[in-house]
């Protein structure tokens, strides 16, 4: 359509220019809505070349700005350009008609004209004006907007209609207009003749969108950065109370801890309730920054955060409510009247243009079971719960899959938090309230009401939708997750046999969407228990053959629903997963973004399980199919392994099903390790031989032997060992109490802890919740030890550099200008890391009353001002003080082998390593204290700035 040349959202420096009268203007990426600098910068807008004519696009009005303060913190992840082709916005104004006539029909009735506009290549491409009754010269002055892809052949169909009673409207005439004839940003007036007499005047205008609704970036969103700032302050204060003198002294020394819970249905939910109670009672929860959940664990986390008293209450206060909510099976909610009520609600959603599936019904079941009177709660409501870092940030997940591939082979992890929802794989995110709305080429075209929390709970646990019929069976010994995975493979094979050779996702979805939205497709028949005829046929007589196991009334009722071919929601492939509008529809995806983008991109050979994780998802399909993430591996490690979140300690609680209580508990974490390795993410090696050496136990700790920046994983296992003998750590049970604790989880054939059990007696709830609470409390010391080790490691190990200088040139998806800026940043960061400041100590080891060496302040504690014409910047010097055994002696006085290696690498890349030594104070005897090396903080505030650097800072809220 157009000869198009555009560099979109590639370089922040080119998007702004600094006002001459402002020395410290701070730029903002234009896709951030919530910002307001003290002085507004002047925006530079990228130009377009259309038909060899240079066009300057017009900026759309910004959304309402809110006042926020920001600190200058360089975010290296913003050097990666996440670029997408913008959509072309077509504006059509139907002005007026003249001499509207319908031939001899005018003698019977004066025309009642209206106009239909249709662009088949545009979403929401069919619009119409209002009807002008009895008017042959109507004036409409109605304006319509269409989002189109300029690479397609776009034609506008204009239909002049005559309105009649009884839906018998008639076509007066129609005209097609090729939209490539409209020049950019030029209003064009045209008059079209429909039946040689009737004329209608139109106005057209096109421009490229410059304010996409989606956020394209590999960085965390601004709201999450602000949360981390506040939460770190609270965590540091809590650790001072918890760890005493060994607590972190600065923000840089403070460990970032994440707690994650696996899937496992109600077993995982009940187990997670005991875990969080124990973590809260021991004050560990106040040290946690992220709280991630998958499937059953996400049900508990979302239910907890929706409670009106959270986070001021203890999680244990909700256990009684949760216990009462699940003491009856949610299957009893599938009564005829309940199903009809659910379908009535789903019909409204369908009639509004949103896709529906059985996940909608299942979400209602979960919601009415868990949140009950809080069904109106939405995920964005949880923002108030974590305001100011009051509680850990909840992170939930599911995976996007293809309809013709197994989830293990192709899957894309989707993150859900109160601020954003999106796919890190593509660096594409949306505001949480827009999930489920319709997008095209990054632009919001139809906004729907935010989905309720219980609908998201249905998606997060949608594995139970895929095999909901299997919930009616009594075989408890099968591995439920593996059974679901195998069933998905069977469904895929079956669907391939049923489809024609030329079928595709797009054709299937188009067919569904073009069907009339009539409630007759969703007619619900209550099972007839009398002998009345249905559809003119007498009911078939039931077989008299005896069965070894006769299904009950409700089982037959549910099976009839699931197998009813007239009930489209449950009978299609789309009905087996959560279905939403594809928010990436129309995006120009040509590549994926590694979750660890600074790691060299090398080929992976070991890809048996995850062979399709780097494949691109087609953007021409209208819907996404989202399923329970446990169908890939049953633990939400991807949420906390993103390097942008910089998690140091992961407390992983695995509630996954095992063949027996003494079976090795490493199946899911081994899959997580493999997934992390394929995505170049740091993950400690999982040594399964520890099971042979140490046997079954409640906690296994995995550390990386050489990488000090790799997170430590504390893997908690669902097992009943010491709980049989102790009520609390160190408190033995009486003979009567041992009977309560003497139970198996997976070995018992009649176990109440099956993944497919949705009914827990009070006794079963108490046993499982107290078991996980006990196992967690028994290992609090191990958690504290991991915290202390991490604090000491942060004190003695230099901060992690994202990439070595000599590897910058190998980076992909980074412009030369951004590579140069990244190189300058790394060079100065290295200089800052390797700079030494002196501390004064006594020659002989003099310890204070707590056993710590006394250290007095020197001039190095004072702020240093780096001056440059037009710019002054303070360089904050860290106040860390650590004990060291080496004094500075040129470049040879390094404190660790790792530092020596990094120094060699810097030397090999011609990076300048600056060494600064400051002498100590005089002792009373006239001698001087020794100077000792000291790592400074990670914020590279010592960078000598220039105007270009001003354009390259991400804004972190303070």
């Amino acid at each position: 359509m157009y000869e198009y040349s555009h560099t979109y959202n590639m370089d922040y420096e080119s998007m702004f220019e600094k006002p001459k009268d402002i020395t410290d203007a701070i730029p903002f990426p234009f896709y951030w809505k919530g910002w307001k600098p003290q002085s507004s910068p002047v925006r530079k807008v990228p130009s377009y070349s259309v038909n060899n004519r240079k066009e300057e696009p017009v900026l759309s009005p910004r959304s309402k700005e809110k006042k926020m303060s920001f600190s200058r913190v360089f975010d290296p992840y913003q050097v990666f350009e996440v670029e997408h082709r913008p959509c072309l916005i077509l504006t059509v104004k139907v002005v007026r008609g003249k001499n509207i006539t319908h031939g001899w029909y005018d003698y019977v009735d004066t025309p009642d004209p209206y106009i239909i506009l249709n662009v088949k290549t545009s979403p929401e491409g069919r619009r119409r004006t209002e009807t002008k009754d009895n008017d042959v010269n109507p004036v409409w002055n109605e304006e319509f907007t269409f989002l189109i892809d300029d690479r397609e052949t776009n034609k506008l169909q204009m239909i002049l209609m005559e309105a009649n009673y009884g839906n018998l409207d008639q076509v007066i005439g129609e005209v097609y207009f090729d939209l490539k004839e409209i020049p950019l940003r030029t209003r064009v007036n045209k008059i079209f003749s429909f039946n040689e007499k009737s004329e209608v005047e139109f106005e057209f205008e096109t421009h490229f969108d410059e304010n996409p609704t989606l956020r394209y970036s590999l960085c965390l969103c601004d709201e999450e950065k602000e949360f981390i700032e506040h939460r770190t302050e609270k965590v540091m204060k809590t650790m001072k109370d918890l760890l005493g003198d060994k607590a972190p002294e600065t923000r840089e020394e403070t460990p970032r801890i994440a707690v994650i819970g696996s899937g496992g249905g109600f077993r995982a939910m009940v187990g997670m309730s005991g875990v969080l109670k124990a973590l809260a009672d021991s004050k560990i929860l106040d040290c946690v920054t992220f709280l991630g959940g998958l499937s059953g664990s996400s049900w508990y986390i979302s239910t907890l955060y929706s409670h009106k008293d959270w986070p001021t209450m203890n999680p244990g206060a909700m256990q009684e409510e949760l216990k009462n909510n699940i003491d009856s099976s949610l299957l009893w909610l599938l009564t005829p009247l309940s199903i009809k009520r659910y379908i009535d609600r789903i019909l409204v959603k369908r009639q509004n243009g949103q896709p529906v599936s059985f996940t909608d019904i299942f979400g209602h079941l979960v919601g009415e079971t868990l949140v009950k009177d809080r069904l109106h709660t939405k995920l964005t409501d949880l923002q108030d719960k974590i305001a100011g870092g009051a509680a850990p940030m909840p992170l939930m997940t599911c995976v996007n899959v293809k309809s013709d591939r197994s989830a293990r082979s192709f899957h894309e992890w989707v993150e859900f938090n109160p601020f954003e929802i999106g796919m890190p794989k593509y660096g594409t995110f949306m505001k949480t309230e827009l999930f489920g709305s319709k997008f095209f080429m990054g632009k919001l075209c139809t906004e729907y009401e935010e989905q309720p929390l219980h609908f998201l709970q249905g998606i997060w646990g949608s594995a139970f939708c895929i095999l909901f019929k299997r919930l009616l069976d009594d075989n408890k010994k099968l591995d439920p997750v593996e059974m679901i995975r195998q069933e998905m493979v069977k469904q895929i094979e079956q669907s391939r046999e049923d489809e024609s050779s030329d079928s595709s996702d797009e054709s299937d979805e188009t067919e569904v969407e073009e069907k009339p939205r009539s409630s007759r497709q969703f007619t619900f028949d209550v099972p007839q228990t009398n002998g009345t005829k249905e559809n003119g046929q007498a009911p078939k007589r039931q077989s008299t053959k005896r069965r070894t196991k006769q299904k009950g009334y409700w089982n037959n009722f549910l099976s009839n629903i699931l197998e009813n071919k007239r009930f489209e929601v449950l009978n299609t492939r789309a009905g087996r997963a959560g279905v939403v509008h594809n928010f990436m529809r129309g995006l120009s995806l040509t590549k994926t973004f590694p979750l660890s983008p600074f790691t060299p991109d090398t080929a992976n050979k070991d890809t048996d399980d995850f062979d399709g994780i780097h494949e691109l998802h087609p953007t021409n399909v209208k819907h996404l199919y989202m399923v329970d993430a446990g169908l890939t591996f049953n633990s939400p490690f991807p949420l906390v392994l993103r390097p942008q979140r910089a998690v140091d300690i992961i407390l992983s609680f695995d509630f996954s099903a095992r063949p027996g209580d003494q079976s090795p508990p490493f199946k899911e974490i081994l899959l997580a390790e493999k997934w992390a390795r394929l995505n170049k993410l740091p993950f400690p090696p999982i040594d399964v031989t520890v099971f042979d050496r140490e046997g079954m136990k409640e906690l296994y700790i995995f550390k990386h032997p050489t990488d000090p920046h790799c997170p430590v994983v504390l893997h908690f296992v669902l097992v009943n060992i010491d709980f049989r003998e102790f009520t609390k750590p160190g408190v033995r049970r009486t003979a009567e109490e041992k009977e309560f604790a003497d139970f198996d989880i997976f070995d018992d054939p009649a176990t109440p802890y099956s993944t497919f059990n949705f009914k827990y007696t009070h006794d079963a709830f108490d046993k499982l919740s107290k078991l996980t609470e006990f196992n967690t409390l028994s290992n609090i010391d191990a958690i504290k030890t991991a915290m202390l080790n991490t604090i000491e490691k942060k004190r003695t190990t230099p901060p992690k550099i994202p990439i070595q200088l000599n590897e910058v040139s190998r980076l992909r998806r980074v412009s030369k200008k951004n590579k140069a800026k990244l190189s300058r940043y790394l060079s100065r960061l290295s200089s800052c890391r390797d700079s030494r400041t002196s501390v004064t100590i006594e020659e002989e080891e003099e310890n204070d009353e707590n056993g710590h060496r006394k250290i007095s302040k020197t001039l190095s504690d004072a702020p240093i001002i780096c001056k440059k014409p037009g710019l002054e910047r303070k360089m904050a010097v860290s106040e860390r003080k650590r004990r060291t055994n080496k004094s500075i002696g040129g470049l040879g006085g390094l404190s660790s082998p790792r530092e020596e290696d990094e120094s060699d690498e810097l030397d090999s890349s011609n990076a300048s390593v600056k060494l600064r030594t400051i002498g100590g104070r005089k002792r009373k005897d006239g001698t001087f204290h020794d100077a000792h090396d000291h790592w400074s903080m990670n914020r590279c505030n010592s960078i000598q700035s220039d105007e270009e650097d001003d354009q390259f800072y991400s804004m972190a809220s303070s």
Side-chain angles (χ1 to χ4, degrees), residues 289-325:
T289 302
F290 299 108
L291 182 58
L294 181 152
S295 193
S297 293
S298 68
W299 291 346
Y300 175 76
I301 294 172
S302 55
T303 301
L304 174 66
Y305 275 70
S306 69
H307 198 282
K308 61 182 180 64
D309 296 328
W310 177 257
T312 56
M313 73 173 187
N314 186 290
M318 198 186 72
Q319 283 190 329
E320 194 66 26
E321 173 186 322
L322 187 63
K323 183 195 306 182
N324 294 328
N325 288 345

Side-chain angles (χ1 to χ4, degrees), residues 751-770:
T751 178
Y753 304 117
S754 166
T755 305
F756 287 156
N757 179 29
F758 287 88
K759 177 183 177 180
Y760 273 55
T761 64
H762 288 194
D763 181 66
F765 183 100
D766 290 338
K767 287 180 177 178
L768 183 57
S769 61
K770 291 186 180 300

Side-chain angles (χ1 to χ4, degrees), residues 8-41:
Y8 182 66
N9 190 22
M10 290 185 62
D11 184 70
Y12 298 141
E13 180 183 4
S14 65
M15 305 301 294
F16 297 85
E17 68 177 356
K18 195 173 183 180
K20 296 181 180 179
D21 57 336
I22 300 175
T23 60
D24 294 323
I26 300 178
F28 293 79
F30 65 83
Y31 53 76
W32 284 359
K33 295 181 179 180
W35 64 276
K36 188 173 182 181
Q38 294 179 355
S39 300
S40 300

Side-chain angles (χ1 to χ4, degrees), residues 81-210:
E81 300 98 356
V82 182
E83 53 181 339
H84 293 291
R85 190 183 190 91
C87 66
L88 189 67
I89 300 179
L90 166 68
T91 303
V92 180
K93 184 176 182 180
V94 184
V95 184
R96 63 178 63 86
K98 182 180 179 181
N99 300 326
I100 305 300
T101 177
H102 198 197
W104 64 269
Y105 287 100
D106 294 351
Y107 294 100
V108 180
D109 181 24
T110 304
D112 307 314
Y114 65 90
I115 298 291
I116 293 178
L117 303 175
N118 186 24
V119 182
K120 291 186 177 181
T121 54
S122 172
E124 301 295 330
R126 189 175 180 87
R127 311 290 180 84
R128 60 158 290 176
T129 66
E130 64 179 9
T131 301
K132 297 295 183 178
D133 295 332
N134 301 319
D135 194 345
V136 297
N137 297 302
V139 177
W140 284 287
N141 282 326
E142 294 185 43
E143 195 169 274
F144 304 92
T145 300
F146 299 89
L147 305 180
I148 58 178
D149 186 348
D150 67 295
R151 297 167 295 182
E152 301 289 337
T153 300
N154 300 295
K155 291 187 177 181
L156 172 65
Q157 180 186 21
M158 297 163 284
I159 308 174
L160 178 60
M161 299 291 297
E162 157 71 0
N164 293 314
Y165 294 104
N167 294 325
L168 298 176
D169 296 357
Q170 295 176 298
V171 177
I172 297 178
E174 62 179 341
V175 176
Y176 287 87
F177 177 55
D178 194 340
L179 298 177
K180 70 179 180 181
E181 300 179 16
I182 306 173
L184 281 175
R185 294 188 353 271
T186 301
R187 187 168 287 271
V188 177
N189 287 71
K190 286 186 176 292
I191 297 177
F192 295 94
S193 177
F194 286 84
N195 57 0
E196 297 181 354
K197 294 183 179 180
S198 302
E199 296 181 343
V200 180
E201 180 183 355
F202 295 85
E203 289 184 359
F204 303 94
E205 186 177 11
T206 59
H207 68 275
F208 283 103
D209 172 50
E210 291 301 323

Side-chain angles (χ1 to χ4, degrees), residues 164-421:
N164 293 314
Y165 294 104
N167 294 325
L168 298 176
D169 296 357
Q170 295 176 298
V171 177
I172 297 178
E174 62 179 341
V175 176
Y176 287 87
F177 177 55
D178 194 340
L179 298 177
K180 70 179 180 181
E181 300 179 16
I182 306 173
L184 281 175
R185 294 188 353 271
T186 301
R187 187 168 287 271
V188 177
N189 287 71
K190 286 186 176 292
I191 297 177
F192 295 94
S193 177
F194 286 84
N195 57 0
E196 297 181 354
K197 294 183 179 180
S198 302
E199 296 181 343
V200 180
E201 180 183 355
F202 295 85
E203 289 184 359
F204 303 94
E205 186 177 11
T206 59
H207 68 275
F208 283 103
D209 172 50
E210 291 301 323
N211 293 279
T213 313
L214 297 179
R215 184 176 73 90
Y216 308 135
S217 177
L218 298 189
C219 304
L220 299 178
C221 69
D222 196 48
E223 294 84 355
E224 182 170 349
K225 291 180 181 178
E226 183 179 8
F227 164 81
I228 292 175
E229 293 286 320
H230 293 305
R231 185 63 181 174
T232 303
E233 292 290 342
K234 292 184 176 294
V235 168
M236 186 170 62
K237 293 179 181 178
T238 302
M239 287 188 176
K240 287 182 179 179
D241 297 335
L242 194 65
L243 303 177
D245 295 335
K246 298 181 181 180
E249 299 177 1
T250 65
R251 295 166 54 87
E252 288 71 28
E253 294 178 1
T254 305
R256 191 164 295 171
I257 304 174
V259 172
I260 58 174
S262 76
F266 277 14
R267 180 183 64 247
M269 182 179 66
V270 175
M272 201 67 180
S273 70
V275 166
L276 286 194
K277 181 179 184 300
L279 294 178
D281 292 342
S282 60
K283 304 299 182 183
I284 297 295
L285 188 60
D286 293 332
C287 301
V288 174
T289 302
F290 299 108
L291 182 58
L294 181 152
S295 193
S297 293
S298 68
W299 291 346
Y300 175 76
I301 294 172
S302 55
T303 301
L304 174 66
Y305 275 70
S306 69
H307 198 282
K308 61 182 180 64
D309 296 328
W310 177 257
T312 56
M313 73 173 187
N314 186 290
M318 198 186 72
Q319 283 190 329
E320 194 66 26
E321 173 186 322
L322 187 63
K323 183 195 306 182
N324 294 328
N325 288 345
I326 64 174
D327 60 359
S328 59
S329 175
L330 58 78
L331 296 181
W332 286 102
L333 297 174
L334 288 174
T335 61
L337 294 179
S338 297
I339 287 290
K340 188 176 186 305
R341 183 173 72 252
Y342 302 151
I343 293 178
D344 287 341
R345 297 173 184 173
I346 293 172
L347 276 175
V348 175
K349 182 178 177 181
R350 176 69 185 224
Q351 290 167 356
N352 289 335
Q354 294 177 275
V356 297
S357 68
F358 187 66
T359 301
D360 293 83
I361 294 180
F362 185 68
H364 278 288
L365 297 178
V366 176
E368 292 199 4
T369 300
L370 301 181
V371 296
K372 291 188 178 295
D373 58 339
R374 306 191 296 274
L375 289 174
H376 62 280
T377 304
K378 299 177 175 61
L379 185 56
T380 53
D381 296 335
L382 275 55
Q383 294 178 9
D384 296 335
K385 306 293 186 177
I386 61 175
M393 174 179 285
L395 301 172
M396 276 70 71
T397 186
C398 68
V399 291
N400 174 48
V401 298
K402 292 182 179 179
S403 59
D404 60 346
R405 295 281 295 277
S406 68
R408 182 73 68 80
S409 174
F410 177 89
H411 61 268
E412 297 171 333
W413 289 81
V414 185
E415 290 188 2
F416 294 78
N417 68 57
F419 302 119
E420 275 193 334
I421 297 173

Side-chain angles (χ1 to χ4, degrees), residues 349 510 812 816 936:
K349 182 178 177 181
T510 303
R812 301 171 58 189
K816 291 183 178 179
S936 67

Side-chain angles (χ1 to χ4, degrees), residues 348-630:
V348 175
K349 182 178 177 181
R350 176 69 185 224
Q351 290 167 356
N352 289 335
Q354 294 177 275
V356 297
S357 68
F358 187 66
T359 301
D360 293 83
I361 294 180
F362 185 68
H364 278 288
L365 297 178
V366 176
E368 292 199 4
T369 300
L370 301 181
V371 296
K372 291 188 178 295
D373 58 339
R374 306 191 296 274
L375 289 174
H376 62 280
T377 304
K378 299 177 175 61
L379 185 56
T380 53
D381 296 335
L382 275 55
Q383 294 178 9
D384 296 335
K385 306 293 186 177
I386 61 175
M393 174 179 285
L395 301 172
M396 276 70 71
T397 186
C398 68
V399 291
N400 174 48
V401 298
K402 292 182 179 179
S403 59
D404 60 346
R405 295 281 295 277
S406 68
R408 182 73 68 80
S409 174
F410 177 89
H411 61 268
E412 297 171 333
W413 289 81
V414 185
E415 290 188 2
F416 294 78
N417 68 57
F419 302 119
E420 275 193 334
I421 297 173
M423 295 186 188
K425 176 180 178 179
Y426 301 112
T428 303
F429 302 88
M430 76 189 100
K431 294 295 183 183
T432 299
E433 58 268 22
L434 298 179
F435 180 72
S437 296
K438 187 178 291 187
F439 290 82
F440 184 70
M441 300 185 74
K443 191 71 173 179
L444 178 68
C445 56
T446 305
E447 182 175 359
Y448 299 106
E449 183 181 358
E450 182 181 355
Q451 301 285 356
L453 185 62
H454 60 79
F455 171 73
L456 300 182
Q457 289 178 324
I459 291 180
W460 300 333
S462 60
F464 302 98
C465 300
I466 299 173
L467 278 184
F468 200 79
K469 288 185 291 185
R470 299 294 295 271
L471 296 177
L472 307 178
D473 296 336
D474 294 329
N475 192 346
K476 314 274 186 174
K477 291 296 294 180
L478 294 177
D479 181 354
V481 175
E482 194 62 37
M483 184 173 60
I484 294 174
R485 292 169 181 163
Q486 294 174 3
E487 185 70 14
M488 287 191 68
V489 174
K490 294 179 182 178
Q491 292 176 358
I492 291 170
E493 293 175 351
Q494 181 65 33
S495 65
R496 287 173 177 169
E497 295 175 1
D498 295 341
E499 293 176 350
S500 61
S501 59
D502 59 347
S503 64
S504 65
D505 288 340
E506 182 68 10
S507 62
D508 289 346
E509 291 168 353
T510 303
E511 180 183 353
V512 171
E513 206 162 278
E514 290 180 353
K515 288 182 179 180
R517 293 171 183 167
S518 171
S519 60
R520 285 175 293 182
Q521 296 181 19
F522 298 89
T523 54
F524 177 80
D525 298 323
V526 177
Q528 300 181 14
T529 56
N530 54 22
T532 58
K533 295 182 179 181
E534 183 179 359
N535 298 327
Q537 299 292 331
K540 294 182 179 180
R541 185 175 180 179
Q542 298 293 331
S543 174
T544 57
K545 183 184 293 185
R546 296 191 60 181
R547 300 178 183 177
T548 57
K549 191 171 185 179
Q550 183 71 30
K551 287 189 175 181
Y553 167 75
W554 294 117
N555 290 28
N556 283 322
F557 168 68
L558 293 176
S559 298
N560 289 334
I561 292 179
L562 294 168
E563 297 167 1
N564 188 350
K565 294 184 178 181
R566 291 184 301 162
F567 200 74
E568 182 183 275
V569 178
L570 305 182
N571 192 52
T572 62
R573 285 181 296 156
R576 303 182 188 118
V579 186
V580 295
H581 286 300
N582 183 6
F583 65 90
M584 296 189 302
R585 184 182 176 190
L587 291 183
S588 52
L589 292 182
T590 58
K591 57 205 171 189
T592 62
F593 290 88
L595 297 181
S596 182
F598 287 107
T599 305
D601 192 4
T602 57
N604 292 306
K605 299 180 180 180
D606 188 12
T607 56
D608 295 337
D609 285 320
F610 308 114
D611 57 337
I613 60 175
H614 298 301
E615 293 181 12
L616 292 172
H617 191 278
T619 59
N620 61 334
V621 298
K622 298 179 181 179
H623 299 146
L624 295 178
Y625 299 93
M626 297 190 174
V627 300
D628 193 320

